[in-house]
Amino acid sequence: MLCIGIESTAHTLGVGIVKDGKVLANEKSMLFEYGIHPRKTADHHADVFPEVLQAALDKAGEAIGKSKAPSGSLGLAKIDRIAFSQGPGIGPCLRISAAAARAIGATFGKPTFGVNHCVAHIEISKHATGLDDPLVLYVSGGNTQVIIKKGKYYRVLGETLDVGIGNMLDVFARDLGSRGVERDGAKVKNARDIEMLALKAKKYVPLPYTVKGMDASFSGMLTHAQRLAGKETAEDLCFSMQETGYASLCEVTERALALTGKKQVLVCGGVAQNKRLQGMVKEMAKEWGCEFGVASNEYNADNGAMIAYVGTLMGRTRALPISKCVPIQKYRTDQFGI
Ligand code: FE2
């Protein structure tokens, strides 16, 4: 089965094509200048959609052509089903993938499926790592959750009580950037800059550490770090934010591990690309005798392939009528069964 997946929950417009569990194409275009401006980002997604779609169709055609003639671009008429990221995400951005799915679905008469973005990150990571029943730490800009699967649905055992850890790091990076802090000659602006600056730190600066059961909170740490900016070096603050924030994530994940007795730990989502977080969770998992897994950055960053992949897993009867192909902005992980 050939499924096309369209992703546009936040800064990335992605189009992926999956055939029977194999990713044939995973094309994308991202806009992240200084945070995410909803309207400008949605305009970007609408502008680049035709070229990203064409690039994905070309790549998939090429991949199929290698094993079976004829090669060349894949026509949309050959696609069996369409999947789009239905939520959670930023309203104006989400509307682009929903509108694209409606248009392609109606034009070519193909079944169209709404996919939960968070579940897509988990499912593609399980597929890529081979873990089948992991405790999941899902960390991104908008989401921070500790999750297990129960039957068809995922269950959220713990989550952030305020902002996502990625959002906290992005906000602090922009704050440093507005103070003139640079990395490689450009103003720092995101969590990737924080990770790089942290490597040059000389000392740890104590910051508020907030864990309540299996939930965590990050806004107090952000406020405190913002107050210390200018008094402590940017490098030391970046290092300390990572150490404090990631330690709290390890604590809530470890507590969930003790509760559930799971034997596998999976980290996924945008912040899962951070090497320090990967190392800390891996170490903790090892101490518990658990298998650790993290997918490649291609799947932890937002992408269309994960949406297409989940589209191939969904039962035929879950196809949505065109009128229901609309965004669900606050679509929770535990509301989508698979
Ligand atoms: Fe994501």
Side-chain angles (χ1 to χ4, degrees):
M1 182 208 294
L2 262 174
C3 181
I4 190 164
I6 309 166
E7 157 63 33
S8 74
T9 53
H11 44 53
T12 300
L13 183 283
V15 178
I17 299 174
V18 168
K19 184 175 195 263
D20 305 327
K22 187 168 185 284
V23 176
L24 302 179
N26 196 15
E27 300 300 305
K28 63 174 76 174
S29 174
M30 185 174 93
L31 182 75
F32 191 92
E33 286 173 329
Y34 216 60
I36 302 173
H37 185 297
R39 182 179 51 75
K40 280 185 189 168
T41 313
D43 286 349
H44 161 267
H45 293 349
D47 289 345
V48 301
F49 179 71
E51 64 193 72
V52 176
L53 172 65
Q54 192 57 55
L57 291 170
D58 291 348
K59 210 145 196 198
E62 222 174 87
I64 290 173
K66 275 180 189 158
S67 55
K68 196 173 87 179
S71 59
S73 186
L74 188 71
L76 274 172
K78 293 211 177 89
I79 299 286
D80 297 307
R81 48 172 68 180
I82 297 146
F84 69 101
S85 54
Q86 198 167 17
I90 300 167
C93 301
L94 282 171
R95 288 179 65 184
I96 305 304
S97 53
R102 283 198 302 270
I104 300 171
T107 306
F108 293 92
K110 305 290 181 184
T112 306
F113 299 79
V115 171
N116 181 291
H117 178 93
C118 316
V119 171
H121 270 301
I122 300 172
E123 288 298 330
I124 195 81
S125 295
K126 281 165 65 179
H127 184 57
T129 59
L131 300 185
D132 57 351
D133 184 28
L135 175 73
V136 180
L137 174 62
Y138 170 45
V139 278
S140 66
N143 302 282
T144 301
Q145 295 177 329
V146 180
I147 305 161
I148 55 164
K149 195 166 191 198
K150 269 221 146 179
K152 276 183 70 179
Y153 285 86
Y154 282 97
R155 190 173 156 207
V156 178
L157 298 178
E159 59 191 314
T160 177
L161 295 168
D162 38 46
V163 294
I165 185 135
N167 191 24
M168 176 197 72
L169 295 169
D170 283 343
V171 169
F172 187 63
R174 287 201 295 277
D175 222 57
L176 291 178
S178 68
R179 291 169 174 272
V181 177
E182 295 186 346
R183 181 172 79 83
D184 296 337
K187 277 186 186 178
V188 302
K189 62 177 183 180
N190 57 31
R192 174 74 181 151
D193 294 318
I194 300 265
E195 181 178 9
M196 292 298 108
L197 287 175
L199 296 174
K200 295 175 188 159
K202 291 198 169 63
K203 70 170 196 292
Y204 174 77
V205 179
L207 293 171
Y209 177 95
T210 314
V211 164
K212 296 179 179 178
M214 280 183 280
D215 296 327
S217 161
F218 305 105
S219 56
M221 180 180 0
L222 175 62
T223 308
H224 196 74
Q226 284 171 323
R227 285 181 185 152
L228 290 175
K231 294 173 193 153
E232 302 285 353
T233 69
E235 289 81 0
D236 288 347
L237 286 173
C238 291
F239 169 74
S240 306
M241 281 189 107
Q242 286 202 154
E243 294 303 302
T244 313
Y246 296 164
S248 67
L249 292 177
C250 279
E251 183 182 335
V252 294
T253 308
E254 188 169 10
R255 190 159 293 136
L257 207 52
L259 177 79
T260 60
K262 295 280 182 195
K263 292 292 169 207
Q264 299 171 336
V265 180
L266 174 74
V267 190
C268 67
V271 181
Q273 297 171 79
N274 184 290
K275 295 282 180 254
R276 179 61 181 146
L277 177 63
Q278 286 182 11
M280 288 170 79
V281 179
K282 189 177 180 181
E283 189 66 34
M284 183 274 290
K286 197 175 148 197
E287 278 179 26
W288 281 78
C290 293
E291 214 179 324
F292 170 79
V294 62
S296 65
N297 287 351
E298 179 182 9
Y299 300 128
N300 280 319
D302 288 352
N303 66 94
M306 66 180 189
I307 305 297
Y309 175 66
V310 174
T312 66
L313 302 180
M314 294 170 75
R316 182 80 169 77
T317 54
R318 292 177 69 182
L320 297 169
I322 292 294
S323 62
K324 293 268 171 63
C325 291
V326 291
I328 304 172
Q329 212 175 325
K330 292 186 185 292
Y331 206 172
R332 281 183 59 84
T333 313
D334 45 17
Q335 289 174 316
F336 182 88
I338 189 78

